[in-house]
Amino acid sequence: MGLSTAIDTALDRTIAPGYGNIGLLIRRKLPGWPADAGRMDGRTVLVTGAASGIGLAAVVEFARLGARVLGVVRSEERARDLTRLVAEEDTTAAARVTPMAADVSSVEAVRDLARRVAADHERLDVLVNNAGVMPDERTETADGVELTFATHVVAPYVLTLELADLLAAAAPGRVVNVTSGGMYAQRLAAHDLETREDAYAPKRVYARTKRAQMVLTEELAERLGPRGIVVHAMHPGWADTKGVRQWMPVFRAVTRPIIRTPAQGADTIVWLGGAQEPTRSNGLLWQDRRPRPTHLLGRTRESPADRQHLMEHVAAIADAATIGAGR
């Protein structure tokens, strides 16, 4: 196991092999590779960002394992597409998938989604916060929140808390926040969480919000752990998704020989949702079924005050949306 751990750690720190398909293929052959999730019959899973890429791959695999899957997409048109796309992968799995339309960048839309889920389900076993965006220029939502921050940070916060009762009813209920290895280069931008002052650079803002999402994961794990809810984050490595092709074409061209398939990127999401090992801890970052450091550079570490500021800022956005909706 010592050599196995050393190889795994070396892959993680050298990034290119570890984040590509080579890293996953090597790790699967190492002694101690964790067993697959196993059957999930009778369990209910919700996945946001389900229309393509890693989200779609996770939906298909959860359904193949027997789970009832609620696939959240941005519009009714995408909901129809999801049904077709899952059927193209596996017709048996498609029968277990229910598409749900919701723009998760809107606090009220997220709350409406949670109400619809609660109306039809007494428990929720797994919530996967996977929806992601990388707009070319700074954009605000109808709530007046920067779009990337709203999608990556506010939406997981609101949806997790709104569904907490259903997750607690399935104890151990599980939350999986899909982050990015790009966060390792960024610290929490507590001075400018919504990029109102700093120059807007899409990739940097994306990575900053993923750093914020990691902090959110740890804070929600501490808050919800006593209720039997496990909250973890994972990063999928470099996966060939629609977002990568659209927003990072040069990166995709360079990494094409080793880039992962969406299914390979989704592997740890499904494992976190179904295996027993992840329920024995809380608030960790995972990649390829192993916990990983949340920081590789000392300069990216945030202070307790910065963490508190993030949580207060997100809570204030949620509260303001509540008041704006007249509730």
Side-chain angles (χ1 to χ4, degrees), residues 178-246:
V178 181
T179 184
S180 165
M183 74 169 193
Y184 280 126
Q186 297 293 327
R187 65 174 297 154
L188 182 65
H191 69 288
D192 191 17
L193 290 169
E194 296 185 49
T195 323
R196 297 184 184 277
E197 300 173 9
D198 293 348
Y200 183 86
K203 295 181 182 64
R204 183 183 65 194
V205 171
Y206 183 93
R208 280 183 173 183
T209 59
K210 291 299 184 177
R211 169 60 67 191
Q213 193 181 67
M214 186 65 237
V215 174
L216 178 74
T217 298
E218 294 169 331
E219 293 293 323
L220 288 178
E222 183 175 353
R223 182 185 304 188
L224 299 177
R227 300 188 62 186
I229 300 172
V230 175
V231 187
H232 288 304
M234 66 78 67
H235 78 84
W238 296 336
D240 190 10
T241 65
K242 180 180 178 181
V244 168
R245 293 191 295 273
Q246 178 179 345

Side-chain angles (χ1 to χ4, degrees), residues 146-305:
E146 192 277 314
L147 178 60
T148 316
F149 187 81
T151 304
H152 298 168
V153 186
V154 179
Y157 171 86
V158 174
L159 190 55
T160 300
L161 294 184
E162 291 288 328
L163 293 174
D165 287 346
L166 297 186
L167 289 161
R174 310 172 194 218
V175 180
V176 181
N177 294 325
V178 181
T179 184
S180 165
M183 74 169 193
Y184 280 126
Q186 297 293 327
R187 65 174 297 154
L188 182 65
H191 69 288
D192 191 17
L193 290 169
E194 296 185 49
T195 323
R196 297 184 184 277
E197 300 173 9
D198 293 348
Y200 183 86
K203 295 181 182 64
R204 183 183 65 194
V205 171
Y206 183 93
R208 280 183 173 183
T209 59
K210 291 299 184 177
R211 169 60 67 191
Q213 193 181 67
M214 186 65 237
V215 174
L216 178 74
T217 298
E218 294 169 331
E219 293 293 323
L220 288 178
E222 183 175 353
R223 182 185 304 188
L224 299 177
R227 300 188 62 186
I229 300 172
V230 175
V231 187
H232 288 304
M234 66 78 67
H235 78 84
W238 296 336
D240 190 10
T241 65
K242 180 180 178 181
V244 168
R245 293 191 295 273
Q246 178 179 345
W247 301 319
M248 304 172 67
V250 175
F251 171 82
R252 180 182 183 266
V254 171
T255 60
R256 187 171 183 176
I258 63 168
I259 201 165
R260 298 182 178 196
T261 66
Q264 290 173 326
D267 175 81
T268 296
I269 296 174
V270 177
W271 182 80
L272 287 169
Q276 288 303 308
E277 183 179 336
T279 65
R280 303 186 187 111
S281 59
N282 211 344
L284 301 184
L285 171 66
W286 300 76
Q287 194 234 349
D288 289 349
R289 305 189 187 187
R290 295 291 190 191
R292 306 295 172 185
T294 55
H295 298 271
L296 296 179
L297 304 170
R299 65 177 176 81
T300 67
R301 297 186 181 277
E302 64 280 338
S303 68

Side-chain angles (χ1 to χ4, degrees), residues 72-116:
V72 179
V73 296
R74 193 166 54 245
S75 66
E76 293 293 344
E77 180 181 0
R78 283 180 170 251
R80 291 188 292 272
D81 287 343
L82 178 60
T83 300
R84 174 180 56 80
L85 291 169
V86 176
E88 288 175 356
E89 292 289 329
D90 190 318
T91 54
T92 302
R96 302 190 186 101
V97 177
T98 301
M100 301 185 74
D103 178 1
V104 298
S105 71
S106 160
V107 172
E108 183 54 32
V110 169
R111 287 190 169 130
D112 176 68
L113 170 65
R115 287 191 291 269
R116 284 185 280 149

Side-chain angles (χ1 to χ4, degrees), residues 34-47:
D36 291 343
R39 296 294 301 176
M40 296 182 66
D41 301 277
R43 301 188 200 180
T44 302
V45 178
L46 187 152
V47 180

